[in-house]
Amino acid sequence: MRLILLGAPGAGKGTQAEYLSKRFSIPHISTGDILRENVKNETELGKKAKEYMDKGLLVPDEIVIEIVKDRISKEDCKNGFLLDGFPRTIAQAEALDKVLQELGQKIDKVLNIEVPDEKILERMSGRRICKNCGASFHVIYRPPQKEGVCDVCGGELYQREDDKEETVKKRLEVYHAQTQPLIDYYKEKGLLVVAYGQEEIADTTKEVLKALGIE
């Protein structure tokens, strides 16, 4: 199975990707991870990408496409893969189509995990992390026994910058503006399926399997 996974930050995409990767024995390919891996291993593509990353610039599409192509050509992708974080734009989606054509492959389904913005806002802005041991809490869903204090080690709990309400709102705005054209693109191709994110992880997994036509 060859899948593309879409979903806003905080929609629970990572957890579902992990499950699907194990269930179908296919690699979960996160573009962020493979970019960092290429940079760390100082591959030719990694060196090119690093020049941009060091300047705080976005890595150009042609380099990202080459890195993705290199990754999906590997032996462990023979029976399929799960792409997460790529494509992000129509241009990238079209380039991916070309690459897959060259490899004699095609995307089976594009899974969009949908969660209302207000739910994501509640999930992310309620998160609190321990400064000392990194344990994670939530003011509503997993409150610490004592406010502001970690149950595990007694360390101080804090809210990460990217979990602050204004930041989350901004990230959601950017995500929707960027991803809506992509959703429309795959809908037109008849590849888009939608799973509605639930409170419980297991319930979201059921929705995901239903969307993929696997009960």
Side-chain angles (χ1 to χ4, degrees):
M1 188 178 273
R2 293 175 183 86
L3 289 175
I4 290 172
L5 201 52
L6 301 176
K13 221 169 32 137
T15 310
Q16 296 307 320
E18 214 175 292
Y19 169 80
L20 291 169
S21 170
K22 281 191 189 128
R23 167 91 190 240
F24 299 110
S25 303
I26 54 176
H28 168 210
I29 300 171
S30 152
T31 34
D33 290 349
I34 55 172
L35 257 175
R36 282 187 289 273
E37 208 173 291
N38 274 272
V39 169
K40 191 176 139 204
N41 296 333
E42 296 186 346
T43 66
E44 276 315 304
L45 287 165
K47 284 177 194 166
K48 282 183 195 168
K50 191 174 186 294
E51 284 175 27
Y52 291 90
M53 289 158 88
D54 285 349
K55 291 175 191 156
L57 300 169
L58 280 177
V59 179
D61 278 4
E62 56 270 26
I63 296 176
V64 180
I65 298 285
E66 276 305 313
I67 285 175
V68 170
K69 184 182 179 180
D70 176 64
R71 180 65 187 88
I72 62 181
S73 305
K74 293 201 180 341
E75 186 63 24
D76 64 343
C77 291
K78 215 168 58 176
N79 299 320
F81 50 79
L82 180 63
L83 275 180
D84 175 5
F86 183 89
R88 285 183 190 272
T89 62
I90 301 284
Q92 288 182 351
E94 288 170 346
L96 177 65
D97 289 345
K98 268 195 199 140
V99 162
L100 289 169
Q101 220 171 347
E102 285 168 28
L103 297 171
Q105 299 176 1
K106 64 180 177 42
I107 291 297
D108 295 309
K109 286 197 169 84
V110 177
L111 174 69
N112 184 25
I113 299 178
E114 267 191 26
V115 178
D117 282 4
E118 58 275 17
K119 232 3 168 189
I120 287 179
L121 208 52
E122 183 187 87
R123 273 184 197 177
M124 293 180 79
S125 62
R127 276 200 297 221
R128 298 293 181 270
I129 310 292
C130 174
K131 276 184 178 176
N132 188 37
C133 74
S136 180
F137 297 86
H138 194 282
V139 293
I140 299 168
Y141 304 116
R142 196 189 166 209
Q145 287 168 3
K146 188 178 175 195
E147 198 181 329
V149 179
C150 174
D151 292 352
V152 183
C153 72
E156 183 193 339
L157 300 182
Y158 77 108
Q159 184 183 38
R160 290 187 322 196
E161 276 305 316
D162 57 357
D163 283 341
K164 291 194 168 153
E165 194 165 322
E166 277 320 301
T167 313
V168 176
K169 277 183 182 165
K170 189 79 199 130
R171 284 174 74 192
L172 285 170
E173 264 171 46
V174 170
Y175 173 78
H176 291 307
Q178 208 178 42
T179 313
Q180 196 53 54
L182 213 49
I183 288 171
D184 297 338
Y185 176 81
Y186 285 119
K187 200 184 275 180
E188 273 171 38
K189 284 179 164 279
L191 292 173
L192 190 81
V193 291
V194 179
Y196 297 96
Q198 308 294 311
E199 284 303 334
E200 297 296 326
I201 290 170
D203 293 337
T204 302
T205 303
K206 274 183 201 157
E207 283 284 323
V208 162
L209 292 175
K210 196 162 75 181
L212 293 173
I214 303 148
E215 292 300 337

